[in-house]
Amino acid sequence: MAVDYRYIRNEASYLPVAKAALAMRFPLSVDFDTFYSGISTPERRSSFLRAASVYYYMVKKGDWIVDAPDCNPVIGYFTNSYKAVGIFAIIESLSDGSHQDFHTWLQTDTSTTFPIANASALAALHEQYKLTFGSIRRCTSFFGRLSASKQAELCSAVEIDHTPVQNIKKLAEFLYNIRSKFVHEAELVLELSGPTHHFGRKKLLHTKLTMSLFFSAFEEGLVAYFSEA
């Protein structure tokens, strides 16, 4: 990951923003200061300040504004869709490795033999890619840092056929997939609007997810990612 040193060079400007972004995690200023001083290198401090400031301005305090006379300026499922994309963009940016698309990965993976035999073999390689280099792996790793209680809270907030999601890996995949449905298919994110049943699917989906819970989980994960205790 390339380091943008403008954040650490302008620490006096970005540090109060980061502190405001994580005010719910650190009600006492001294606790935030202790956490921040524990980030060991300038590179990681700069990465933290970038992630926290982008989150604060573009997600936590940002809304997608509709400039049209026939509707409200902020529509919940519109702005939630963009906030979900923003959070996952930050999560993906925290990887220690640079991004590789599937085609590039195939060319550099020494275990891949060409020509690929059939569609099943290609699908198996794609699953391997997702596990070792894909975006879902990064997201699963991020949410895997959450406390057991936060993981349980998230998993219990999503029920498929009346059964809560089994583990945080499945939950992370669920969240990433709703983000991808919006990015690739323009399917708006309705699953972050509180208690809702979602029909027109192969399985009955009931979510109790809210943006406040999503924010809380992200903030806990962000602190966990940069904690070095």
Side-chain angles (χ1 to χ4, degrees):
M1 177 180 59
V3 178
D4 191 339
Y5 283 102
R6 64 179 169 172
Y7 292 95
I8 199 67
R9 287 197 300 267
N10 295 290
E11 186 178 59
S13 297
Y14 286 108
L15 197 55
V17 177
K19 185 177 291 189
L22 297 175
M24 295 298 292
R25 295 293 307 164
F26 298 104
L28 298 179
S29 179
V30 65
D31 292 335
F32 175 89
D33 294 339
T34 300
F35 157 73
Y36 183 72
S37 65
I39 301 176
S40 58
T41 66
E43 290 85 358
R44 283 181 60 78
R45 288 197 294 273
S46 186
S47 179
F48 166 73
L49 292 175
R50 176 192 57 80
S53 61
V54 169
Y55 167 65
Y56 182 76
Y57 287 121
M58 293 189 65
V59 179
K60 192 170 186 178
K61 296 298 182 180
D63 279 309
W64 180 261
I65 304 298
V66 181
D67 185 15
D70 58 343
C71 62
N72 294 326
V74 177
I75 299 172
Y77 53 89
F78 279 11
T79 198
N80 288 353
S81 298
Y82 284 94
K83 288 175 187 287
V85 171
I87 284 180
F88 278 105
I90 297 169
I91 291 173
E92 291 181 64
S93 76
L94 296 176
S95 172
D96 293 330
S98 59
H99 176 70
Q100 276 190 351
D101 61 31
F102 180 50
H103 182 261
T104 303
W105 178 83
L106 279 176
Q107 294 178 311
T108 57
D109 178 46
T110 56
S111 65
T112 302
T113 302
F114 295 98
I116 297 170
N118 50 47
S120 296
L122 181 62
L125 285 168
H126 191 246
E127 285 301 313
Q128 182 183 345
Y129 162 77
K130 290 194 294 184
L131 289 173
T132 58
F133 215 102
S135 297
I136 290 179
R137 178 190 61 82
R138 302 181 190 186
C139 298
T140 300
S141 176
F142 182 88
F143 286 102
R145 293 183 173 89
L146 300 179
S147 62
S149 60
K150 183 61 70 177
Q151 290 188 26
E153 184 180 8
L154 285 169
C155 290
S156 65
V158 179
E159 294 182 359
I160 300 174
D161 285 344
H162 307 289
T163 302
V165 170
Q166 296 177 348
N167 53 59
I168 198 63
K169 179 178 183 295
K170 295 292 185 183
L171 190 281
E173 290 175 354
F174 170 81
L175 290 173
Y176 188 81
N177 285 337
I178 63 176
R179 164 263 182 211
S180 297
K181 283 285 188 181
F182 175 62
V183 170
H184 300 298
E185 301 176 29
E187 187 171 316
L188 294 166
V189 174
L190 305 177
E191 292 87 349
L192 293 169
S193 301
T196 311
H197 286 89
H198 304 273
F199 300 99
R201 301 167 182 262
K202 294 181 180 180
K203 296 182 178 181
L204 177 64
L205 173 64
H206 179 226
T207 59
K208 294 177 285 186
L209 291 168
T210 62
M211 287 308 300
S212 61
L213 174 57
F214 196 25
F215 287 172
S216 174
F218 171 77
E219 291 170 20
E220 182 177 315
L222 187 66
V223 171
Y225 180 87
F226 286 99
S227 292
E228 301 179 21

